mmCIF file with all atom_site columns, all heavy atoms in Angstrom:
data_model
loop_
_atom_site.group_PDB
_atom_site.id
_atom_site.type_symbol
_atom_site.label_atom_id
_atom_site.label_alt_id
_atom_site.label_comp_id
_atom_site.label_asym_id
_atom_site.label_entity_id
_atom_site.label_seq_id
_atom_site.pdbx_PDB_ins_code
_atom_site.Cartn_x
_atom_site.Cartn_y
_atom_site.Cartn_z
_atom_site.occupancy
_atom_site.B_iso_or_equiv
_atom_site.pdbx_formal_charge
_atom_site.auth_seq_id
_atom_site.auth_comp_id
_atom_site.auth_asym_id
_atom_site.auth_atom_id
_atom_site.pdbx_PDB_model_num
ATOM 1  N N   . LEU K 1 31 ? -35.252 -42.553 -123.770 1.00 0.00 ? 31 LEU K N   1
ATOM 2  C CA  . LEU K 1 31 ? -34.925 -43.132 -125.086 1.00 0.00 ? 31 LEU K CA  1
ATOM 3  C C   . LEU K 1 31 ? -33.764 -42.512 -125.773 1.00 0.00 ? 31 LEU K C   1
ATOM 4  O O   . LEU K 1 31 ? -32.935 -43.197 -126.427 1.00 0.00 ? 31 LEU K O   1
ATOM 5  C CB  . LEU K 1 31 ? -36.185 -42.894 -126.086 1.00 0.00 ? 31 LEU K CB  1
ATOM 6  C CG  . LEU K 1 31 ? -37.426 -43.761 -125.761 1.00 0.00 ? 31 LEU K CG  1
ATOM 7  C CD1 . LEU K 1 31 ? -38.512 -43.493 -126.753 1.00 0.00 ? 31 LEU K CD1 1
ATOM 8  C CD2 . LEU K 1 31 ? -37.120 -45.233 -125.787 1.00 0.00 ? 31 LEU K CD2 1
ATOM 9  N N   . ALA K 1 32 ? -33.578 -41.138 -125.648 1.00 0.00 ? 32 ALA K N   1
ATOM 10 C CA  . ALA K 1 32 ? -32.413 -40.447 -126.192 1.00 0.00 ? 32 ALA K CA  1
ATOM 11 C C   . ALA K 1 32 ? -31.154 -40.989 -125.527 1.00 0.00 ? 32 ALA K C   1
ATOM 12 O O   . ALA K 1 32 ? -30.162 -41.147 -126.246 1.00 0.00 ? 32 ALA K O   1
ATOM 13 C CB  . ALA K 1 32 ? -32.586 -38.978 -126.068 1.00 0.00 ? 32 ALA K CB  1
ATOM 14 N N   . LEU K 1 33 ? -31.200 -41.112 -124.168 1.00 0.00 ? 33 LEU K N   1
ATOM 15 C CA  . LEU K 1 33 ? -29.994 -41.603 -123.515 1.00 0.00 ? 33 LEU K CA  1
ATOM 16 C C   . LEU K 1 33 ? -29.681 -43.122 -123.928 1.00 0.00 ? 33 LEU K C   1
ATOM 17 O O   . LEU K 1 33 ? -28.416 -43.367 -124.227 1.00 0.00 ? 33 LEU K O   1
ATOM 18 C CB  . LEU K 1 33 ? -30.298 -41.608 -121.985 1.00 0.00 ? 33 LEU K CB  1
ATOM 19 C CG  . LEU K 1 33 ? -30.381 -40.252 -121.295 1.00 0.00 ? 33 LEU K CG  1
ATOM 20 C CD1 . LEU K 1 33 ? -30.957 -40.447 -119.878 1.00 0.00 ? 33 LEU K CD1 1
ATOM 21 C CD2 . LEU K 1 33 ? -28.998 -39.543 -121.260 1.00 0.00 ? 33 LEU K CD2 1
ATOM 22 N N   . LYS K 1 34 ? -30.711 -43.869 -124.093 1.00 0.00 ? 34 LYS K N   1
ATOM 23 C CA  . LYS K 1 34 ? -30.469 -45.251 -124.539 1.00 0.00 ? 34 LYS K CA  1
ATOM 24 C C   . LYS K 1 34 ? -29.845 -45.246 -125.989 1.00 0.00 ? 34 LYS K C   1
ATOM 25 O O   . LYS K 1 34 ? -28.944 -46.073 -126.280 1.00 0.00 ? 34 LYS K O   1
ATOM 26 C CB  . LYS K 1 34 ? -31.747 -46.028 -124.460 1.00 0.00 ? 34 LYS K CB  1
ATOM 27 C CG  . LYS K 1 34 ? -31.627 -47.505 -124.887 1.00 0.00 ? 34 LYS K CG  1
ATOM 28 C CD  . LYS K 1 34 ? -32.943 -48.136 -124.784 1.00 0.00 ? 34 LYS K CD  1
ATOM 29 C CE  . LYS K 1 34 ? -32.785 -49.636 -125.212 1.00 0.00 ? 34 LYS K CE  1
ATOM 30 N NZ  . LYS K 1 34 ? -34.102 -50.397 -125.183 1.00 0.00 ? 34 LYS K NZ  1
ATOM 31 N N   . ASP K 1 35 ? -30.396 -44.358 -126.842 1.00 0.00 ? 35 ASP K N   1
ATOM 32 C CA  . ASP K 1 35 ? -29.904 -44.316 -128.209 1.00 0.00 ? 35 ASP K CA  1
ATOM 33 C C   . ASP K 1 35 ? -28.473 -43.946 -128.260 1.00 0.00 ? 35 ASP K C   1
ATOM 34 O O   . ASP K 1 35 ? -27.733 -44.376 -129.155 1.00 0.00 ? 35 ASP K O   1
ATOM 35 C CB  . ASP K 1 35 ? -30.837 -43.274 -128.943 1.00 0.00 ? 35 ASP K CB  1
ATOM 36 C CG  . ASP K 1 35 ? -30.543 -43.314 -130.404 1.00 0.00 ? 35 ASP K CG  1
ATOM 37 O OD1 . ASP K 1 35 ? -30.462 -44.388 -131.025 1.00 0.00 ? 35 ASP K OD1 1
ATOM 38 O OD2 . ASP K 1 35 ? -30.435 -42.183 -131.045 1.00 0.00 ? 35 ASP K OD2 1
ATOM 39 N N   . ALA K 1 36 ? -28.004 -43.049 -127.382 1.00 0.00 ? 36 ALA K N   1
ATOM 40 C CA  . ALA K 1 36 ? -26.539 -42.707 -127.320 1.00 0.00 ? 36 ALA K CA  1
ATOM 41 C C   . ALA K 1 36 ? -25.779 -43.597 -126.586 1.00 0.00 ? 36 ALA K C   1
ATOM 42 O O   . ALA K 1 36 ? -24.490 -43.416 -126.527 1.00 0.00 ? 36 ALA K O   1
ATOM 43 C CB  . ALA K 1 36 ? -26.484 -41.247 -126.769 1.00 0.00 ? 36 ALA K CB  1
ATOM 44 N N   . GLY K 1 37 ? -26.264 -44.598 -125.874 1.00 0.00 ? 37 GLY K N   1
ATOM 45 C CA  . GLY K 1 37 ? -25.538 -45.438 -125.069 1.00 0.00 ? 37 GLY K CA  1
ATOM 46 C C   . GLY K 1 37 ? -24.885 -44.834 -123.804 1.00 0.00 ? 37 GLY K C   1
ATOM 47 O O   . GLY K 1 37 ? -23.765 -45.169 -123.320 1.00 0.00 ? 37 GLY K O   1
ATOM 48 N N   . VAL K 1 38 ? -25.599 -43.820 -123.234 1.00 0.00 ? 38 VAL K N   1
ATOM 49 C CA  . VAL K 1 38 ? -25.127 -43.122 -122.124 1.00 0.00 ? 38 VAL K CA  1
ATOM 50 C C   . VAL K 1 38 ? -26.165 -43.141 -120.966 1.00 0.00 ? 38 VAL K C   1
ATOM 51 O O   . VAL K 1 38 ? -27.305 -43.607 -121.178 1.00 0.00 ? 38 VAL K O   1
ATOM 52 C CB  . VAL K 1 38 ? -24.710 -41.649 -122.382 1.00 0.00 ? 38 VAL K CB  1
ATOM 53 C CG1 . VAL K 1 38 ? -23.545 -41.685 -123.347 1.00 0.00 ? 38 VAL K CG1 1
ATOM 54 C CG2 . VAL K 1 38 ? -25.859 -40.951 -122.944 1.00 0.00 ? 38 VAL K CG2 1
ATOM 55 N N   . GLU K 1 39 ? -25.821 -42.581 -119.775 1.00 0.00 ? 39 GLU K N   1
ATOM 56 C CA  . GLU K 1 39 ? -26.767 -42.522 -118.667 1.00 0.00 ? 39 GLU K CA  1
ATOM 57 C C   . GLU K 1 39 ? -26.980 -41.028 -118.350 1.00 0.00 ? 39 GLU K C   1
ATOM 58 O O   . GLU K 1 39 ? -26.185 -40.186 -118.753 1.00 0.00 ? 39 GLU K O   1
ATOM 59 C CB  . GLU K 1 39 ? -26.191 -43.262 -117.496 1.00 0.00 ? 39 GLU K CB  1
ATOM 60 C CG  . GLU K 1 39 ? -26.059 -44.758 -117.704 1.00 0.00 ? 39 GLU K CG  1
ATOM 61 C CD  . GLU K 1 39 ? -25.527 -45.525 -116.528 1.00 0.00 ? 39 GLU K CD  1
ATOM 62 O OE1 . GLU K 1 39 ? -25.671 -45.018 -115.317 1.00 0.00 ? 39 GLU K OE1 1
ATOM 63 O OE2 . GLU K 1 39 ? -24.880 -46.651 -116.696 1.00 0.00 ? 39 GLU K OE2 1
ATOM 64 N N   . TRP K 1 40 ? -27.994 -40.825 -117.504 1.00 0.00 ? 40 TRP K N   1
ATOM 65 C CA  . TRP K 1 40 ? -28.325 -39.427 -117.155 1.00 0.00 ? 40 TRP K CA  1
ATOM 66 C C   . TRP K 1 40 ? -27.168 -38.751 -116.353 1.00 0.00 ? 40 TRP K C   1
ATOM 67 O O   . TRP K 1 40 ? -26.797 -37.584 -116.572 1.00 0.00 ? 40 TRP K O   1
ATOM 68 C CB  . TRP K 1 40 ? -29.599 -39.428 -116.309 1.00 0.00 ? 40 TRP K CB  1
ATOM 69 C CG  . TRP K 1 40 ? -29.986 -38.018 -115.760 1.00 0.00 ? 40 TRP K CG  1
ATOM 70 C CD1 . TRP K 1 40 ? -30.041 -37.667 -114.534 1.00 0.00 ? 40 TRP K CD1 1
ATOM 71 C CD2 . TRP K 1 40 ? -30.356 -36.880 -116.467 1.00 0.00 ? 40 TRP K CD2 1
ATOM 72 N NE1 . TRP K 1 40 ? -30.430 -36.393 -114.331 1.00 0.00 ? 40 TRP K NE1 1
ATOM 73 C CE2 . TRP K 1 40 ? -30.616 -35.827 -115.596 1.00 0.00 ? 40 TRP K CE2 1
ATOM 74 C CE3 . TRP K 1 40 ? -30.466 -36.523 -117.820 1.00 0.00 ? 40 TRP K CE3 1
ATOM 75 C CZ2 . TRP K 1 40 ? -31.076 -34.587 -115.920 1.00 0.00 ? 40 TRP K CZ2 1
ATOM 76 C CZ3 . TRP K 1 40 ? -30.851 -35.343 -118.229 1.00 0.00 ? 40 TRP K CZ3 1
ATOM 77 C CH2 . TRP K 1 40 ? -31.103 -34.320 -117.355 1.00 0.00 ? 40 TRP K CH2 1
ATOM 78 N N   . LYS K 1 41 ? -26.458 -39.593 -115.583 1.00 0.00 ? 41 LYS K N   1
ATOM 79 C CA  . LYS K 1 41 ? -25.334 -39.033 -114.804 1.00 0.00 ? 41 LYS K CA  1
ATOM 80 C C   . LYS K 1 41 ? -24.176 -38.579 -115.680 1.00 0.00 ? 41 LYS K C   1
ATOM 81 O O   . LYS K 1 41 ? -23.349 -37.772 -115.233 1.00 0.00 ? 41 LYS K O   1
ATOM 82 C CB  . LYS K 1 41 ? -24.784 -40.070 -113.816 1.00 0.00 ? 41 LYS K CB  1
ATOM 83 C CG  . LYS K 1 41 ? -24.259 -41.379 -114.409 1.00 0.00 ? 41 LYS K CG  1
ATOM 84 C CD  . LYS K 1 41 ? -23.785 -42.304 -113.427 1.00 0.00 ? 41 LYS K CD  1
ATOM 85 C CE  . LYS K 1 41 ? -23.252 -43.586 -113.969 1.00 0.00 ? 41 LYS K CE  1
ATOM 86 N NZ  . LYS K 1 41 ? -22.077 -43.432 -114.883 1.00 0.00 ? 41 LYS K NZ  1
ATOM 87 N N   . ASP K 1 42 ? -24.179 -38.985 -116.963 1.00 0.00 ? 42 ASP K N   1
ATOM 88 C CA  . ASP K 1 42 ? -23.183 -38.554 -117.921 1.00 0.00 ? 42 ASP K CA  1
ATOM 89 C C   . ASP K 1 42 ? -23.444 -37.141 -118.490 1.00 0.00 ? 42 ASP K C   1
ATOM 90 O O   . ASP K 1 42 ? -22.533 -36.537 -119.094 1.00 0.00 ? 42 ASP K O   1
ATOM 91 C CB  . ASP K 1 42 ? -23.060 -39.542 -119.066 1.00 0.00 ? 42 ASP K CB  1
ATOM 92 C CG  . ASP K 1 42 ? -22.604 -40.919 -118.557 1.00 0.00 ? 42 ASP K CG  1
ATOM 93 O OD1 . ASP K 1 42 ? -21.743 -40.987 -117.683 1.00 0.00 ? 42 ASP K OD1 1
ATOM 94 O OD2 . ASP K 1 42 ? -23.209 -41.924 -119.080 1.00 0.00 ? 42 ASP K OD2 1
#
Side-chain angles (χ1 to χ4, degrees):
L31 288 181
L33 292 169
K34 182 179 179 180
D35 190 45
V38 295
E39 299 180 23
W40 176 243
K41 64 181 177 62
D42 299 318

